[in-house]
Amino acid sequence: MKIRILLLTMLPVICLAQVNPNGEKPAGELLSKEISPNEMKRNASFNVEEIKVRWKKAALENCTGVLCINTPPPPSFTCGTSTVTDVDGNIYETVAIVGTGVTQCWTKTNLKVTMYNDGTVIGDSTNNTWGTAAIGARTGYNVNVVPLSDYVGTFGYLYNWHAVNDSRKLCPSGWHVPTDAEWTILIQAYDPGALINSTTQSTTAGTVLKSAVTNSPSGSGLGWDPGTAGTNISGFTALPGGLRLSGSGNSFSIRTEANFWSATGFGNGLARNWQLINTSGSVFRSDNDKSTGFSVRCLKD
């Protein structure tokens, strides 16, 4: 009598299904044929690693009887309660802006990333003269070239427009620096009568966009200096990070102005920006030198 011998490592099926009551083999891809003694001799060096790979492949393809490996769906995002994280690991709260026929999702604080999305460091000019070269740069805050080290945590960095416009991207993946038109949508959500192409776009929207945090009469602290108080009804929480003028190396208007870049630039070396001030409830829209340092907010794609 001939006895067929099968090596345990050469079992004929890949799936872990049970044999059904009729004795049929389980569905699924076969690892190998049943091997005769002569075939065993010719295939003594059967590739065990291939067996492992095919087992994993079968599990991923929902092979009958095999415990499947499922990839969980990405967590859902709810603007206003969900957060977004930049390439540095900084976490930003979000705020939903809802108006007539409009829903936008913004970061609730200013950007403070030190790298583009590809990991390239954005040049830091905090301790140097703020240059005029057409290259992306960021800066902290200084007065008379004396750095104010605790300001970045509250106000974020100031960036020139060349960093805003860099193809490697400032904002986290899935977010972008808002255009001039997208800023206008934000303003009109709180002032439907806002003028699209005016320097003073609204005389009231600034009040609801500004943080309600104010400083003492002496001007100390990291909120708004006394003036027209913000209500922050919008939740936008604009804070007065001021600006850094191109070339001078000084920061100006800290605690009295909030200045934000848009992504809209012009070929004459200027780009569109938006401004709120402590003594008014207005929102101002203007063009500035691309080498100026302004704050940046991000808008969800």
mmCIF file of all heavy atoms in Angstrom, residues 207-237:
data_model
loop_
_atom_site.group_PDB
_atom_site.id
_atom_site.type_symbol
_atom_site.label_atom_id
_atom_site.label_comp_id
_atom_site.label_asym_id
_atom_site.label_seq_id
_atom_site.Cartn_x
_atom_site.Cartn_y
_atom_site.Cartn_z
ATOM 1 N N THR A 207 -15.880 94.706 15.366
ATOM 2 C CA THR A 207 -16.231 94.533 16.779
ATOM 3 C C THR A 207 -16.541 93.077 17.107
ATOM 4 O O THR A 207 -16.119 92.555 18.140
ATOM 5 C CB THR A 207 -17.437 95.417 17.142
ATOM 6 O OG1 THR A 207 -17.106 96.784 16.892
ATOM 7 C CG2 THR A 207 -17.815 95.253 18.604
ATOM 8 N N VAL A 208 -17.261 92.398 16.212
ATOM 9 C CA VAL A 208 -17.644 91.014 16.494
ATOM 10 C C VAL A 208 -16.529 90.024 16.183
ATOM 11 O O VAL A 208 -16.578 88.871 16.617
ATOM 12 C CB VAL A 208 -18.929 90.615 15.726
ATOM 13 C CG1 VAL A 208 -20.073 91.538 16.098
ATOM 14 C CG2 VAL A 208 -18.703 90.627 14.221
ATOM 15 N N LEU A 209 -15.498 90.473 15.444
ATOM 16 C CA LEU A 209 -14.367 89.601 15.133
ATOM 17 C C LEU A 209 -13.255 89.700 16.171
ATOM 18 O O LEU A 209 -12.483 88.754 16.356
ATOM 19 C CB LEU A 209 -13.793 89.949 13.756
ATOM 20 C CG LEU A 209 -14.692 89.662 12.550
ATOM 21 C CD1 LEU A 209 -14.056 90.218 11.280
ATOM 22 C CD2 LEU A 209 -14.967 88.173 12.402
ATOM 23 N N LYS A 210 -13.150 90.825 16.860
ATOM 24 C CA LYS A 210 -12.065 91.031 17.810
ATOM 25 C C LYS A 210 -12.282 90.255 19.103
ATOM 26 O O LYS A 210 -13.405 90.147 19.605
ATOM 27 C CB LYS A 210 -11.928 92.521 18.151
ATOM 28 C CG LYS A 210 -11.374 93.364 17.035
ATOM 29 C CD LYS A 210 -10.973 94.763 17.498
ATOM 30 C CE LYS A 210 -12.132 95.590 17.971
ATOM 31 N NZ LYS A 210 -11.730 96.968 18.299
ATOM 32 N N SER A 211 -11.193 89.731 19.649
ATOM 33 C CA SER A 211 -11.241 89.109 20.968
ATOM 34 C C SER A 211 -11.742 90.122 21.992
ATOM 35 O O SER A 211 -11.500 91.329 21.878
ATOM 36 C CB SER A 211 -9.847 88.624 21.363
ATOM 37 O OG SER A 211 -9.788 88.323 22.738
ATOM 38 N N ALA A 212 -12.427 89.640 23.018
ATOM 39 C CA ALA A 212 -12.914 90.519 24.078
ATOM 40 C C ALA A 212 -11.856 90.755 25.148
ATOM 41 O O ALA A 212 -12.108 91.456 26.139
ATOM 42 C CB ALA A 212 -14.173 89.922 24.712
ATOM 43 N N VAL A 213 -10.648 90.181 24.969
ATOM 44 C CA VAL A 213 -9.572 90.352 25.943
ATOM 45 C C VAL A 213 -8.956 91.742 25.778
ATOM 46 O O VAL A 213 -8.469 92.095 24.701
ATOM 47 C CB VAL A 213 -8.484 89.276 25.764
ATOM 48 C CG1 VAL A 213 -7.324 89.518 26.726
ATOM 49 C CG2 VAL A 213 -9.076 87.892 25.963
ATOM 50 N N THR A 214 -8.989 92.541 26.833
ATOM 51 C CA THR A 214 -8.423 93.885 26.791
ATOM 52 C C THR A 214 -7.361 94.038 27.870
ATOM 53 O O THR A 214 -7.360 93.322 28.876
ATOM 54 C CB THR A 214 -9.513 94.953 26.990
ATOM 55 O OG1 THR A 214 -10.201 94.701 28.220
ATOM 56 C CG2 THR A 214 -10.513 94.932 25.849
ATOM 57 N N ASN A 215 -6.470 95.000 27.642
ATOM 58 C CA ASN A 215 -5.393 95.270 28.584
ATOM 59 C C ASN A 215 -5.788 96.356 29.577
ATOM 60 O O ASN A 215 -6.814 97.020 29.428
ATOM 61 C CB ASN A 215 -4.135 95.712 27.816
ATOM 62 C CG ASN A 215 -3.652 94.639 26.864
ATOM 63 O OD1 ASN A 215 -3.714 93.458 27.172
ATOM 64 N ND2 ASN A 215 -3.188 95.055 25.695
ATOM 65 N N SER A 216 -4.939 96.541 30.575
ATOM 66 C CA SER A 216 -5.147 97.622 31.523
ATOM 67 C C SER A 216 -4.920 98.957 30.814
ATOM 68 O O SER A 216 -4.331 99.005 29.727
ATOM 69 C CB SER A 216 -4.152 97.489 32.678
ATOM 70 O OG SER A 216 -2.834 97.701 32.207
ATOM 71 N N PRO A 217 -5.385 100.068 31.398
ATOM 72 C CA PRO A 217 -5.175 101.385 30.771
ATOM 73 C C PRO A 217 -3.715 101.695 30.466
ATOM 74 O O PRO A 217 -3.415 102.496 29.584
ATOM 75 C CB PRO A 217 -5.750 102.350 31.810
ATOM 76 C CG PRO A 217 -6.790 101.544 32.519
ATOM 77 C CD PRO A 217 -6.216 100.154 32.597
ATOM 78 N N SER A 218 -2.797 101.074 31.178
ATOM 79 C CA SER A 218 -1.374 101.329 30.928
ATOM 80 C C SER A 218 -0.874 100.613 29.677
ATOM 81 O O SER A 218 0.247 100.844 29.223
ATOM 82 C CB SER A 218 -0.548 100.867 32.135
ATOM 83 O OG SER A 218 -0.649 99.455 32.283
ATOM 84 N N GLY A 219 -1.719 99.730 29.099
ATOM 85 C CA GLY A 219 -1.327 99.035 27.872
ATOM 86 C C GLY A 219 -0.551 97.764 28.112
ATOM 87 O O GLY A 219 0.034 97.219 27.184
ATOM 88 N N SER A 220 -0.507 97.273 29.339
ATOM 89 C CA SER A 220 0.216 96.034 29.616
ATOM 90 C C SER A 220 -0.668 94.833 29.298
ATOM 91 O O SER A 220 -1.892 94.926 29.322
ATOM 92 C CB SER A 220 0.648 95.991 31.081
ATOM 93 O OG SER A 220 -0.492 96.025 31.928
ATOM 94 N N GLY A 221 -0.044 93.702 29.011
ATOM 95 C CA GLY A 221 -0.787 92.484 28.710
ATOM 96 C C GLY A 221 -0.721 92.135 27.244
ATOM 97 O O GLY A 221 -0.067 92.810 26.451
ATOM 98 N N LEU A 222 -1.414 91.053 26.866
ATOM 99 C CA LEU A 222 -1.367 90.552 25.498
ATOM 100 C C LEU A 222 -2.742 90.550 24.846
ATOM 101 O O LEU A 222 -3.015 89.752 23.950
ATOM 102 C CB LEU A 222 -0.765 89.149 25.477
ATOM 103 C CG LEU A 222 0.697 89.045 25.917
ATOM 104 C CD1 LEU A 222 1.168 87.604 25.879
ATOM 105 C CD2 LEU A 222 1.599 89.911 25.046
ATOM 106 N N GLY A 223 -3.614 91.455 25.292
ATOM 107 C CA GLY A 223 -4.908 91.631 24.642
ATOM 108 C C GLY A 223 -4.926 92.957 23.894
ATOM 109 O O GLY A 223 -3.889 93.494 23.519
ATOM 110 N N TRP A 224 -6.130 93.499 23.687
ATOM 111 C CA TRP A 224 -6.298 94.780 23.011
ATOM 112 C C TRP A 224 -6.119 95.927 23.993
ATOM 113 O O TRP A 224 -6.644 95.891 25.099
ATOM 114 C CB TRP A 224 -7.689 94.873 22.388
ATOM 115 C CG TRP A 224 -7.885 93.987 21.201
ATOM 116 C CD1 TRP A 224 -8.372 92.708 21.199
ATOM 117 C CD2 TRP A 224 -7.605 94.320 19.842
ATOM 118 N NE1 TRP A 224 -8.410 92.220 19.926
ATOM 119 C CE2 TRP A 224 -7.951 93.187 19.068
ATOM 120 C CE3 TRP A 224 -7.099 95.453 19.205
ATOM 121 C CZ2 TRP A 224 -7.797 93.167 17.680
ATOM 122 C CZ3 TRP A 224 -6.948 95.439 17.827
ATOM 123 C CH2 TRP A 224 -7.294 94.301 17.070
ATOM 124 N N ASP A 225 -5.363 96.938 23.574
ATOM 125 C CA ASP A 225 -5.290 98.157 24.374
ATOM 126 C C ASP A 225 -6.660 98.817 24.406
ATOM 127 O O ASP A 225 -7.483 98.605 23.508
ATOM 128 C CB ASP A 225 -4.252 99.120 23.792
ATOM 129 C CG ASP A 225 -2.840 98.772 24.226
ATOM 130 O OD1 ASP A 225 -2.683 97.833 25.033
ATOM 131 O OD2 ASP A 225 -1.899 99.425 23.745
ATOM 132 N N PRO A 226 -6.940 99.623 25.432
ATOM 133 C CA PRO A 226 -8.271 100.249 25.560
ATOM 134 C C PRO A 226 -8.686 100.994 24.297
ATOM 135 O O PRO A 226 -7.869 101.599 23.608
ATOM 136 C CB PRO A 226 -8.078 101.207 26.731
ATOM 137 C CG PRO A 226 -6.997 100.578 27.539
ATOM 138 C CD PRO A 226 -6.056 99.959 26.548
ATOM 139 N N GLY A 227 -9.959 100.918 23.993
ATOM 140 C CA GLY A 227 -10.505 101.561 22.796
ATOM 141 C C GLY A 227 -11.921 101.066 22.598
ATOM 142 O O GLY A 227 -12.718 101.047 23.536
ATOM 143 N N THR A 228 -12.231 100.636 21.392
ATOM 144 C CA THR A 228 -13.534 100.057 21.085
ATOM 145 C C THR A 228 -13.444 98.556 21.348
ATOM 146 O O THR A 228 -12.797 97.825 20.596
ATOM 147 C CB THR A 228 -13.936 100.318 19.626
ATOM 148 O OG1 THR A 228 -13.940 101.726 19.393
ATOM 149 C CG2 THR A 228 -15.305 99.739 19.321
ATOM 150 N N ALA A 229 -14.074 98.133 22.423
ATOM 151 C CA ALA A 229 -13.925 96.737 22.852
ATOM 152 C C ALA A 229 -14.550 95.780 21.843
ATOM 153 O O ALA A 229 -15.573 96.074 21.225
ATOM 154 C CB ALA A 229 -14.568 96.541 24.222
ATOM 155 N N GLY A 230 -13.906 94.636 21.701
ATOM 156 C CA GLY A 230 -14.472 93.584 20.872
ATOM 157 C C GLY A 230 -15.466 92.755 21.672
ATOM 158 O O GLY A 230 -15.333 92.600 22.892
ATOM 159 N N THR A 231 -16.449 92.201 20.971
ATOM 160 C CA THR A 231 -17.423 91.319 21.624
ATOM 161 C C THR A 231 -17.125 89.851 21.341
ATOM 162 O O THR A 231 -17.579 88.978 22.074
ATOM 163 C CB THR A 231 -18.845 91.619 21.121
ATOM 164 O OG1 THR A 231 -18.912 91.350 19.709
ATOM 165 C CG2 THR A 231 -19.208 93.083 21.385
ATOM 166 N N ASN A 232 -16.405 89.589 20.253
ATOM 167 C CA ASN A 232 -16.075 88.226 19.817
ATOM 168 C C ASN A 232 -17.311 87.346 19.662
ATOM 169 O O ASN A 232 -17.251 86.123 19.873
ATOM 170 C CB ASN A 232 -15.076 87.574 20.771
ATOM 171 C CG ASN A 232 -14.337 86.412 20.124
ATOM 172 O OD1 ASN A 232 -14.127 86.396 18.915
ATOM 173 N ND2 ASN A 232 -13.950 85.442 20.921
ATOM 174 N N ILE A 233 -18.432 87.947 19.291
ATOM 175 C CA ILE A 233 -19.641 87.167 19.044
ATOM 176 C C ILE A 233 -19.391 86.098 17.981
ATOM 177 O O ILE A 233 -19.949 85.003 18.022
ATOM 178 C CB ILE A 233 -20.795 88.099 18.617
ATOM 179 C CG1 ILE A 233 -21.247 88.946 19.816
ATOM 180 C CG2 ILE A 233 -21.971 87.306 18.061
ATOM 181 C CD1 ILE A 233 -22.252 90.018 19.467
ATOM 182 N N SER A 234 -18.521 86.398 17.049
ATOM 183 C CA SER A 234 -18.203 85.471 15.958
ATOM 184 C C SER A 234 -17.404 84.259 16.414
ATOM 185 O O SER A 234 -17.424 83.218 15.772
ATOM 186 C CB SER A 234 -17.395 86.208 14.891
ATOM 187 O OG SER A 234 -16.150 86.630 15.446
ATOM 188 N N GLY A 235 -16.652 84.408 17.517
ATOM 189 C CA GLY A 235 -15.727 83.364 17.939
ATOM 190 C C GLY A 235 -14.404 83.403 17.197
ATOM 191 O O GLY A 235 -13.521 82.579 17.437
ATOM 192 N N PHE A 236 -14.229 84.373 16.291
ATOM 193 C CA PHE A 236 -13.014 84.468 15.483
ATOM 194 C C PHE A 236 -11.791 84.807 16.334
ATOM 195 O O PHE A 236 -10.667 84.412 16.036
ATOM 196 C CB PHE A 236 -13.202 85.525 14.392
ATOM 197 C CG PHE A 236 -12.115 85.559 13.363
ATOM 198 C CD1 PHE A 236 -12.078 84.622 12.347
ATOM 199 C CD2 PHE A 236 -11.123 86.530 13.403
ATOM 200 C CE1 PHE A 236 -11.080 84.644 11.385
ATOM 201 C CE2 PHE A 236 -10.117 86.570 12.443
ATOM 202 C CZ PHE A 236 -10.099 85.625 11.431
ATOM 203 N N THR A 237 -11.985 85.562 17.397
ATOM 204 C CA THR A 237 -10.953 85.826 18.414
ATOM 205 C C THR A 237 -9.696 86.488 17.835
ATOM 206 O O THR A 237 -8.574 86.055 18.066
ATOM 207 C CB THR A 237 -10.559 84.527 19.156
ATOM 208 O OG1 THR A 237 -11.732 83.747 19.414
ATOM 209 C CG2 THR A 237 -9.906 84.839 20.489
#
